Structure formats: structure tokens, C-alpha cells
Amino acid sequence: MRDPFFSPPSSLVKATEPVARSLALQTLPFHVHEILPAFCFYEFVNRVVSPYVSARLAPRTYPHLPRKTKINWNVHFVSMVQSCFINTLALWVIFMDKERNQMDWKERVWGYTGAGGMVQGFAAGYFGWDLWASIKDVDVHGWGALFHAFSALAVSTMGFRPFVNYYGLNFILYELSTPFLNIHWWLDKVGMTGSTTQLVNGIALLTSFGGSRLVWGSYQNFKMYKDIWRAIQTPGELPVPTWLAMGYLLSTTALSFLNFYWFGKMIQAVAKRFERPSDGDGEEKRKRASLLVPEPPPGFRLDPIFWEPMTYQFNAREIWLALVSAASLLAQHPGNQPAAIERFVIPLSRASLSLGPRGQGTTYKALVWTIWDIGRQIVLRYPFPIRVALFDGSIRSNAATVGYIVARPPPRTVAPSKGSSGNLTASSRRRVALVSPLVRADQGSIPCADDPDLVIHYRFTRKALYSGEVFTAFLTAQTYFSEHDSHQRGVVINAFGLNHAVQLTVQDVEPEGGLTWGLARIGLRTVWREVIMGYSIDARTFIAPLRWESLTFTFKYRNVEVGGGSLS
């Protein structure tokens, strides 16, 4: 069957012939007009089409992804386009090319048809682009991906000798499972892990992978081994050196073993997303996964808060800063560990926040949830607060009081300063006068005070957000930290504000990558404290106005990007 694509320009054929002769790729000049446009097309999809389409299909996820994850997203988009196109093309040629279907063992080894060469050309164009992308962003994809891209390009170009061009077309059908693999990856990134959609896609992924790579691939490998062996045994019939043929066989054999290995890992990965919790907190964990309102530990509740506006009123900015910071510090303890009495001094006014157990049974997880519920009640009581009244409440489990939370006024030596943005000493008031005119830039970087090796790079995207939603979204995120060990990896957080109008996301660059839950916790505390609230640890005061705006941020640990997130 002739190549149905347009004929290559004679000038391009002549320009390619010296290279083709030196590499013994006899049919390459007849398909270079397919390789080069394919390469350019996939680069265009990567740079233009994917960002444009992805930002509209996933507006709450794609624009706020860290750099490395966004690069991976675009590569998956290109892979999706390529796999759909090349599978369709290969199946059409397999069914329509009668000349190909009549080949005997000799022609299957060294035979060639124009239509088969066309598919090989478009595939080589993609593998060439994949090699270029792997070299350009080797820090994102890794050396393994670079080696895989080089091997795929080398094997595909061997079809232009021609050598086993017949089987190269059959092996293209490995790509039948790729669309489902890309969808599986995207569902993780948009917060649909464990959803029904991912379950259906997971079944399709395993079915297509097992069918195309294990069953079909093993059968085609067996046929190819038999044909090449006959060619080796027949003098003058092998169109390539024996060492090259054996290398080709070894590479396809290694890929076959890898396919079986990957299939086992896929089964584990898909099953892991749908495991049923075995402990009594299963229902609570499933609710957490739904990304809605955090649920209290079983049996716990917070009694109605007692407000004391006539006794003392906090500056709202101070109490919001204190509550998120306190929840973050409490979340560093194992969630099920019995809690101790904790006391936090609120900045500027020197008022304090105390909470802890009365008797036994109160855990740190319960205290983190208690602070979240206090924040919820503050937002409901004070929708647009300037000041927040003194408060205290009791934590109950079943019928017994097991804990408390109390906000205490500052010492009498520090009197409230009417009309000020907090209760300040004379020296701190002078400091505020010096630094308060500063306005944070739309983008910048801040090292974490708790771990200077962790640097936060942020960029405001200038979409106004409701302050109460941002506040409760950050409090919700702290409940995730109380569920995980600080050294555990694989961070994924999708926390919403009280009315789900604001979403806070944090995630590792790659699953099980370099971002631990401990680093994510102190990084997010820095985003809240320094970036949004404008508080300075060194000056011990607020040095910039509040910014209730959407933003993106990345975490770099020792100059290596390990994660990031967004507020939108």
C-alpha cells in the first residue's frame, strides 16, 4: 500500500539521502516529511495547545500547578494527542493494507510498504520530540525517561533500514493503554482520586494494558523471535548485522518483562486508591477525602462558645494569625497522641490562647479540630471582623468534659490601645510606623523561619477572595496534617473554606517525592503568616497590609523544587 500522505519534496529527499546512506536507513528520505512536521506539531501542542485547553478544562487546578507538575501535565497532554492519533492510524493501516497482510516470514523481517513507513515516520517524529523534551527537562522527567525516549527513537528508526517494519507497526498498538494512563494521572491532580470516574478508568487501563501489551505484545514477540531466528539461520536473508538484530531482540524482551512488572505496579496503584479503611475512623477518612467540612473525632464536640465582648476584644488580624499558627504547631504531634496543656501567646497584644485536656481522652487531633471549629464560629459571628471578642469553650466527648479552649486578655501592664491595629507597646508602635507603608510585591520568595532550607516562592494572581473563606481553608488544611506523620511523603491537600468558595491546594511535585508532610506544614504556615497576613518574625509585628487574593506558591528545599500549591 502506498503512503497516503503527500509525496516528500524532492529537495528534502536529496538533502536527507547522505544521512540515510551513512546510517543505512534506506527508506528514511521517503518519510522525513512526516517526521519533521510531527516533531513540530507536538512541540506546538506542548507550548500552545495544552496550556490553552488545560486552563479552560481545569481552571482551578492547571494555572496553579508548580512548574514541574505543569511540565508533566503538558507532556501527558501531548502523549494523549499522540496516542489517539497513532493508534487510529496504525489500526487503519493494519486493516486496510492488503499488501502487508500477505507478507511471508521473509517480508515480515525485511519487507516494507509505504503506509507502514508513514506510521513509522509519525511515530519517530513523536519519539524524537519525546527525546528533546526529556533532555530539556531532565530535572523533571529523570534519567530513566531520557533513556526510554532514546531507546524508543532508536528502535523506531530501525524500521527505515527496513527491518521488522511489519512488527514495528504491531508494537505501536502498545499505545492503546496510554490514554487511560493519562486520564488516571489527571484525575489524581484534579482531586478525583478514589472517585467512580477513576474506578471506571482504572478498569479500562488495566484491561487495555493487559490486552495490548501482555497478550498482544507477547504473541507478536513470539512471532518476531521465530522470524528473526529463521533469518539468522538462512544465509543472506538478514538485512542487518547479527549483533544489531540480537540487540533489538534483547531490548524488546526487556520491554516485555517491564510490561509485566508495570502491570503489577498498576494493579497495586489502582487498588490503593480504593482501599477500605480497616479501623473505626474509616467513615471520617472518607469524608476527609471528599474535601468538604472536617468532621470531629468520633464522639467529640465543642460546646457553644461563651463570648465576652465587654471584657476584651482582640484585633481580628491577631486572632486569625494565632489560630492558624496554633493549629499548625499542634498538628506536628501524632494525631492520636494524648494532648498536653498548650499555651500560645498572641503577638503584639500579648494576650494568650490556652487549650488542652481535662482528664483523659483528648488527643492532638481533637485540639486541631477544636481550633477549626472556633474559626468557623468566628467567621459566622463576625463576617467582616475588625475585632473579635474574648471567648472560651469546653470540649466534650459523649457526656463528659474532656478539654477546653480559652482566650485570655493580655497582662494588665499592657492596656488595649484604642483605634490601633493591635495592642502595642511604645517601641512596637514606633516599629509599625516605620514598616507599615510597605506593600508586598506581587511575587517574591521567603525562607521559612522554622527551616531556612525551605524557601517559599509566591505569586499573587490578583483575584479578590473573601477573608473568612481563606481563613477557614487554612484551618481546614491543618486537619490534614494532624492525620499524617511529619516524615511521611506523598502530600496531597485540597482544603476548602467554610462555604467552599475558596480552595487551598498543596501537593508534591510527584507522588512519594521529596515533600514531607512536616515540610508542607511549616511551608503553609509561612504562606499564611508572612505572605498573606504580612507578619514579620524578626520585627514581631505586621509589616504589610493583608492580601486576600488568589496566589500560587512553590516549595524549594535546598534549591530543589519539592512541591507547591495554590489559593483560588
Side-chain angles (χ1 to χ4, degrees), residues 42 45-46 49-51 54 62 65 68-84 126 129-130 133 140-141 145 175 177-189 201 205 266 509-511:
Y42 291 126
V45 171
N46 178 63
V49 179
S50 176
S54 300
Y62 179 82
L65 291 174
K68 291 185 178 180
T69 308
K70 188 173 288 187
I71 290 172
N72 261 323
W73 181 297
N74 293 337
V75 168
H76 279 275
F77 192 99
V78 175
S79 172
M80 175 65 89
V81 173
Q82 187 268 345
S83 59
C84 293
Y126 169 74
W129 174 86
D130 191 34
V140 177
H141 307 299
E175 296 294 316
S177 63
T178 302
F180 304 106
L181 182 63
N182 291 326
I183 293 171
H184 183 82
W185 188 90
W186 281 323
L187 290 174
D188 279 342
K189 293 297 175 284
N201 182 77
L205 170 60
M266 281 183 182
V509 169
E510 284 297 322

Side-chain angles (χ1 to χ4, degrees), residues 139-303:
D139 62 317
V140 177
H141 307 299
W143 292 99
L146 178 60
F147 176 76
H148 178 271
F150 176 79
S151 301
L153 179 61
V155 169
S156 66
T157 53
M158 284 186 68
F160 296 119
R161 294 186 72 97
F163 179 65
V164 291
N165 186 271
Y166 174 93
Y167 289 106
L169 197 62
N170 292 343
F171 291 139
I172 289 287
L173 297 185
Y174 278 4
E175 296 294 316
L176 286 171
S177 63
T178 302
F180 304 106
L181 182 63
N182 291 326
I183 293 171
H184 183 82
W185 188 90
W186 281 323
L187 290 174
D188 279 342
K189 293 297 175 284
V190 298
M192 294 182 67
T193 301
S195 63
T196 303
T197 303
Q198 192 171 55
L199 174 62
V200 173
N201 182 77
I203 294 171
L205 170 60
L206 295 177
T207 302
S208 60
F209 191 95
S212 65
R213 297 192 178 224
L214 306 188
V215 179
W216 171 259
S218 298
Y219 173 65
Q220 293 302 318
N221 270 318
F222 173 76
K223 288 181 61 179
M224 185 183 67
Y225 296 156
K226 188 169 66 171
D227 288 344
I228 291 180
W229 180 250
R230 290 185 67 178
I232 292 175
Q233 297 297 310
T234 305
E237 292 295 344
L238 190 64
V240 295
T242 301
W243 66 267
L244 190 56
M246 296 306 295
Y248 188 93
L249 291 177
L250 287 174
S251 65
T252 56
T253 302
L255 180 59
S256 295
F257 280 110
L258 281 174
N259 283 333
F260 280 93
Y261 171 77
W262 288 333
F263 188 67
K265 300 296 286 185
M266 281 183 182
I267 292 175
Q268 294 177 7
V270 172
K272 185 178 180 180
R273 285 160 171 78
F274 302 96
E275 286 178 349
R276 289 183 175 274
S278 58
D279 57 12
D281 294 336
E283 183 62 28
E284 177 189 354
K285 291 179 181 178
R286 282 192 292 274
K287 288 180 179 178
R288 286 283 169 82
S290 71
L291 315 180
L292 299 177
V293 175
E295 293 290 326
F300 279 78
R301 64 182 174 86
L302 185 63
D303 273 357

Side-chain angles (χ1 to χ4, degrees), residues 484-492 508 511-517 519:
H484 296 85
D485 183 83
S486 293
H487 301 290
Q488 187 177 346
R489 299 181 185 275
V491 177
V492 178
D508 207 332
E512 307 299 329
L515 182 64
T516 64
W517 283 88
L519 286 177

Side-chain angles (χ1 to χ4, degrees), residues 136 174 313 336 542 547:
K136 180 167 58 77
Y174 278 4
Q313 292 189 33
N336 294 320
F542 298 106
R547 290 193 70 165

Side-chain angles (χ1 to χ4, degrees), residues 18 21 33 53 76 118 151 153 183 201 203 207 245 247 271 289 384 390 399 430 462 498 523 551 557:
R21 280 195 299 269
H33 68 301
V53 175
H76 279 275
M118 174 191 65
S151 301
L153 179 61
I183 293 171
N201 182 77
I203 294 171
T207 302
F384 301 97
L390 199 70
R430 284 194 299 271
R462 293 184 171 275
L498 185 60
L551 76 150
Y557 189 69

